[in-house]
């Protein structure tokens, strides 16, 4: 998973150098496989702090000698604005106010007219009779992407005159997460770890949504047929949205996290998934209404029926089996649960009303369907590792509010929520003496409580004695913690494996006795090798037909069909 430091800083202050932070994370179990730098020192193409700035277009004038070129007057925070020649199609005569990336002569950039990444140094030259020794820059010239169609337009709040490296530069941590680290498949999940390791406070994004529409209860109904496969299904309704590009800051974060921007609604679902770790899906609500004969749609979560099929968002018609979990309405499938949505209810340019799904599915079911359909997805990757059902409502509210602010929608009051059997909280009694026994060193009870609370575990101390238990309540996002051994592992990795003292065995070694059976086996093996033979190790699993080649039926061996071979089911 790719985590931009600029995004991570929204939730926790980064006080350590990036290299030290990466080492701390790796030692705590979150392996940082690579560190990618964009524009800053150490990047493949650092942006010169004295030559590349945030600028603002004051005016765009026609070029006196060329129809396809214009003159852009740019303020870059110095005494006098600069006039540059540009052919960018997204800067037109009469434009003003756009924030842009601006470079002076001598800046090292990528050549926008060469294929690939070819560095070049900006030099002054005449363009159709007007001398030009500065540029407004495209994403390709900065190395952000291969887009050279127009100049990079920065957000309206970009500070004019600031070196671009300070505003747009970034460092990206590429985390190689093992399957047991499902809690870290989100930026907030990584921020929790950073906060615990550095002692900084964790900040959550705002979770409230301003709901001013009609109550959602009368506009959608939810039915879960198999709660063992769908623990919870939550939905919100956002009306009168306007489909368009998402803001530049959101597109930038998605790209740096490895996802492609599509439109504001889809980008918001992906953004919140990366932020919280809870996959979301947006349906075109009006298409659901059309399938429901004009009445309120009913969302049904059920297994696929024999012969059912669905055309997914990638344009492929997929045959379904009863092992596949579906999201359907009264007319049939509209999504493969937890994997990919259906094309029939896809959000498009004409969409005005959104039904936002935030659900929780059985991780084994999602793994099986994703593998059987050969359909990997970011959602399936998270569901397949385990997501707690408590996340559905906070993620739905966060995405709904973003759709209100970034797409102009009106949110219906309330959340449609089917939650048949909420799991009870996990409570574990942990004794400091057991921590000492397992780790081989004493960690004071106060330090144990501090570490666990930094990871958002609730702790209730029973007494002052060494063996007094600490009653620990496991936070909902920690599906991997089941007993004291899991808590001790958390204590050890946050305390620091490198701080665990080295100790020797406090006892005599047992007497050594010769294992004559093993010695004889080794000597026999050596003799056979010296005689010119080669040792092979065969597969433990084979077939009766292969086994039959080693046995002769005419020397008393039972026939093949009569041998009591043990067969595996799969």
């Amino acid at each position: 998973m790719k985590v931009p430091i600029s995004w991570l800083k929204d939730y926790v202050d980064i006080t350590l150098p990036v290299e030290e932070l990466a080492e701390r994370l790796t030692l705590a179990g979150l392996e940082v496989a690579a560190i990618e730098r964009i524009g800053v020192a150490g990047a493949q193409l650092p942006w010169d702090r004295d030559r590349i700035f945030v600028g603002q277009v004051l005016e765009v004038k026609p070029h006196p000698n060329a129809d396809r070129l214009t003159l852009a007057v740019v303020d870059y925070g110095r005494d006098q604005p600069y006039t540059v020649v540009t052919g960018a199609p997204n800067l037109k005569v009469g434009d003003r106010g756009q924030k842009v990336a601006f470079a002076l002569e001598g800046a090292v950039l990528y050549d926008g007219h060469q294929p690939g990444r070819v560095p070049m140094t900006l030099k002054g030259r005449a363009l159709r009779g007007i001398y030009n020794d500065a540029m407004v820059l495209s994403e390709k010239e900065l190395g952000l992407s291969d887009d050279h169609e127009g100049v990079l337009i920065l957000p309206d709040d970009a500070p004019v005159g600031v070196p671009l490296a300070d505003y747009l530069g970034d460092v990206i941590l590429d985390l190689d997460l093992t399957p047991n680290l499902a809690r870290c498949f989100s930026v907030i999940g990584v921020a929790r770890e950073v906060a615990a390791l550095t002692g900084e406070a964790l900040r959550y994004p705002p979770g409230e949504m301003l709901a001013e529409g009609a109550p959602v209860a009368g506009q959608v109904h939810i039915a879960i047929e198999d709660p063992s496969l769908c623990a919870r299904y939550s939905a919100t309704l956002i009306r009168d949205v306007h489909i368009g590009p998402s803001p530049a800051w959101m597109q930038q974060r998605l790209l740096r996290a490895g996802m492609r921007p599509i439109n504001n609604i889809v980008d918001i679902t992906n953004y919140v998934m990366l932020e919280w770790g809870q996959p979301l899906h947006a349906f075109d609500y009006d298409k659901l209404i059309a399938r429901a004969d004009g009445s309120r749609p009913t969302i049904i979560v059920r297994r696929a029926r024999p012969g059912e099929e669905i055309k997914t968002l990638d344009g492929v018609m997929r045959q379904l089996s009863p092992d596949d979990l579906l999201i359907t309405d009264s007319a049939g499938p509209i999504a493969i649960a937890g994997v990919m949505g259906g094309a029939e209810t896809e959000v498009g340019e004409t969409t005005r009303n959104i039904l936002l799904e935030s659900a929780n599915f059985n991780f084994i079911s999602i793994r099986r369907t994703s593998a059987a359909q050969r359909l990997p997805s970011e959602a399936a990757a998270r569901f397949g590792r385990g997501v707690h059902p408590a996340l559905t409502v906070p993620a739905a509210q966060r995405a709904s509010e973003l759709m209100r602010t970034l797409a102009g929608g009106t949110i219906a009051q309330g959340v449609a929520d089917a939650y048949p059997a909420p799991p009870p909280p996990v409570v574990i009694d942990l004794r400091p003496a057991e921590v000492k026994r397992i780790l081989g060193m004493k960690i004071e009870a106060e330090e144990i409580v501090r570490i666990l609370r930094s990871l958002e575990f609730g702790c209730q101390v029973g007494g002052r004695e060494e063996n007094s238990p600490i009653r620990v309540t496991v936070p909902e996002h920690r599906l991997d913690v089941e007993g004291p051994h899991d808590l001790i592992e958390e204590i050890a990795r946050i305390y620091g494996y490198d701080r665990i003292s080295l100790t020797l065995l406090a006892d005599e070694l047992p007497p050594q006795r010769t294992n004559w059976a093993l010695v004889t086996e080794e000597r026999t093996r050596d003799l056979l090798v010296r005689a010119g033979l080669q040792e092979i190790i065969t597969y433990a699993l084979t077939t009766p037909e292969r086994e039959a080649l080693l046995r002769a039926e005419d020397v008393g061996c039972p026939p093949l069909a009569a041998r009591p071979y043990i067969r595996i089911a799969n």
Side-chain angles (χ1 to χ4, degrees):
M1 176 174 171
K2 293 186 175 182
V3 180
I5 291 291
S6 61
W7 193 351
L8 192 63
K9 286 181 177 178
D10 280 3
Y11 316 116
V12 62
D13 291 333
I14 306 297
T15 56
L16 301 176
V18 172
E19 292 76 10
E20 185 177 345
L21 176 63
E23 182 180 7
R24 294 280 292 275
L25 287 170
T26 298
L27 290 176
L30 283 73
E31 181 184 354
V32 179
I35 301 175
E36 179 185 352
R37 292 173 170 84
I38 298 175
V40 298
Q44 187 174 0
L45 181 73
W47 300 331
D48 192 328
R49 296 172 52 83
D50 297 322
R51 291 184 171 89
I52 304 177
F53 307 94
V54 174
Q56 182 172 20
V57 176
L58 301 180
E59 182 183 5
V60 179
K61 302 183 292 187
H63 192 292
N65 304 319
D67 294 336
R68 295 185 179 181
L69 299 177
T70 57
L71 302 179
V73 182
V74 180
D75 173 16
Y76 67 107
R78 302 305 182 265
D79 293 338
Q80 296 294 327
Y82 220 98
T83 299
V84 299
V85 180
T86 178
N90 57 341
L91 286 182
K92 300 179 177 61
V93 174
D95 283 351
R96 63 182 67 243
Q98 295 96 327
K99 301 290 181 66
V100 294
F102 174 79
L104 295 172
E105 185 174 21
V108 179
L109 307 163
Y110 287 119
D111 193 333
H113 301 285
Q114 296 285 341
R117 299 288 172 88
V118 180
M120 63 96 175
T121 301
L122 178 58
K123 297 179 180 179
R125 63 190 180 96
L127 292 174
R128 289 296 187 95
I130 295 182
Y131 187 76
N132 187 65
D133 59 354
M135 288 181 67
V136 283
L137 304 173
S138 69
E139 291 188 9
K140 182 172 183 179
E141 286 154 345
L142 291 167
L144 295 174
S145 74
D146 292 328
D147 184 8
H148 188 56
E149 289 300 314
V151 297
L152 172 64
I153 303 297
L154 301 174
D156 293 338
D157 59 358
V160 175
V162 169
L164 191 68
D166 292 347
Y167 176 69
L168 205 57
D170 208 348
V171 179
I172 301 171
L173 302 179
D174 190 353
L175 302 178
D176 189 5
L177 299 175
T178 51
N180 64 309
L181 293 172
R183 66 185 187 276
C184 296
F185 274 81
S186 66
V187 183
I188 288 177
V190 176
R192 287 192 187 104
E193 298 290 318
V194 173
L197 290 168
T198 63
E200 298 293 331
L202 181 67
R203 299 182 295 270
Y204 283 102
E208 300 79 14
M209 63 180 187
L210 180 60
E212 299 178 322
V216 71
Q219 303 181 73
V220 63
H221 178 68
I222 299 171
I224 300 175
E225 290 190 359
D226 192 343
S228 67
L229 297 183
C230 177
R232 189 177 193 180
Y233 194 101
S234 308
T236 57
L237 179 61
I238 306 95
R239 290 187 176 274
D240 301 321
V241 299
H242 300 280
I243 306 297
S246 56
W249 62 266
M250 180 174 285
Q251 293 191 39
Q252 174 186 306
R253 287 185 170 183
L254 290 174
L255 286 168
R256 292 183 180 182
M259 300 198 73
R260 178 175 60 89
I262 298 173
N263 61 48
N264 49 3
I265 297 300
V266 176
D267 290 355
I268 287 168
T269 63
N270 287 332
Y271 182 86
V272 175
M273 176 184 69
L274 293 173
E275 181 181 63
W276 278 97
Q278 168 66 48
L280 305 169
H281 184 70
F283 296 104
D284 188 319
Y285 180 75
D286 295 322
K287 294 177 181 177
L288 295 174
I289 288 290
R291 291 162 58 97
D293 298 326
S295 61
R296 66 173 182 172
T298 297
I299 300 298
I300 307 167
V301 188
R302 61 169 174 81
R303 292 178 181 268
R305 294 165 183 159
E308 278 192 307
E309 59 184 13
I310 183 175
K311 186 176 183 180
T312 46
L313 290 173
D314 57 1
V316 177
M317 185 63 73
R318 299 183 181 276
Q319 303 299 317
L320 303 169
S321 76
D323 287 333
D324 298 325
L325 186 66
L326 297 180
I327 310 300
T328 76
D329 61 7
S330 55
I334 56 175
I336 301 177
V339 179
M340 187 173 286
E344 194 170 348
T345 54
E346 180 181 6
V347 171
E349 293 181 357
T350 60
T351 298
R352 290 294 172 265
N353 302 312
I354 298 293
L355 182 70
L356 179 64
E357 168 193 286
S358 182
N360 183 270
F361 305 112
N362 178 279
F363 72 99
I364 295 177
S365 170
I366 300 303
R367 285 185 194 174
R368 182 184 295 120
T369 295
S370 180
Q373 295 289 346
R374 297 181 181 179
L375 190 59
S377 68
E378 290 287 342
R382 285 162 176 79
F383 279 132
R385 288 170 170 84
V387 179
H388 196 282
L391 270 179
T392 63
V393 171
Q397 292 176 328
R398 169 70 164 155
S400 299
E401 180 63 13
L402 286 172
M403 290 180 187
R404 184 187 71 82
T405 57
L406 302 181
T410 300
I411 306 172
Q413 297 174 42
V415 177
D417 189 24
Y419 199 3
V426 178
V427 179
I428 302 168
D429 284 340
L430 177 67
R431 298 181 183 276
E434 181 69 2
V435 177
K436 179 180 178 181
R437 187 184 75 83
I438 296 295
L439 298 184
M441 63 181 293
K442 181 178 180 179
I443 299 179
E444 298 294 340
E446 293 80 5
E447 180 67 3
I448 292 173
V449 170
R450 185 199 67 79
I451 290 173
L452 292 175
R453 284 177 175 167
S454 74
L455 291 167
E456 300 188 332
F457 289 84
C459 295
Q460 183 179 354
V461 182
R464 295 181 178 272
E465 296 78 12
E466 181 181 20
N467 210 33
S468 296
I470 301 170
R471 176 145 293 187
V472 180
T473 302
V474 179
E476 292 172 326
H477 61 271
R478 293 303 302 268
L479 296 173
D480 57 318
V481 176
E482 299 176 348
H485 57 287
D486 295 316
L487 295 175
I488 294 171
E489 181 181 356
E490 293 302 298
I491 294 165
R493 69 183 188 86
I494 299 300
Y495 185 80
Y497 293 127
D498 55 324
R499 296 174 62 192
I500 296 178
S501 57
L502 300 175
T503 57
L504 297 176
L505 183 68
D507 203 348
E508 294 182 2
L509 290 174
Q512 301 298 300
R513 296 185 177 88
T514 302
N515 185 336
W516 289 110
L518 181 61
V519 170
T520 302
E521 181 181 332
E522 289 297 324
R523 289 179 178 175
T524 303
R525 181 180 287 109
D526 292 342
L527 288 171
L528 292 172
V529 170
R530 290 172 187 168
L533 300 180
Q534 293 181 334
E535 182 180 8
I536 65 168
I537 300 175
T538 59
Y539 289 110
L541 300 179
T542 184
T543 64
E545 292 74 21
R546 296 291 299 173
E547 177 73 10
L549 298 176
L550 303 178
R551 309 184 67 176
E553 302 290 350
D554 55 355
V555 292
C557 291
L560 182 64
R563 295 173 195 161
Y565 289 118
I566 298 175
R567 301 171 186 266
I568 61 172
N570 185 348

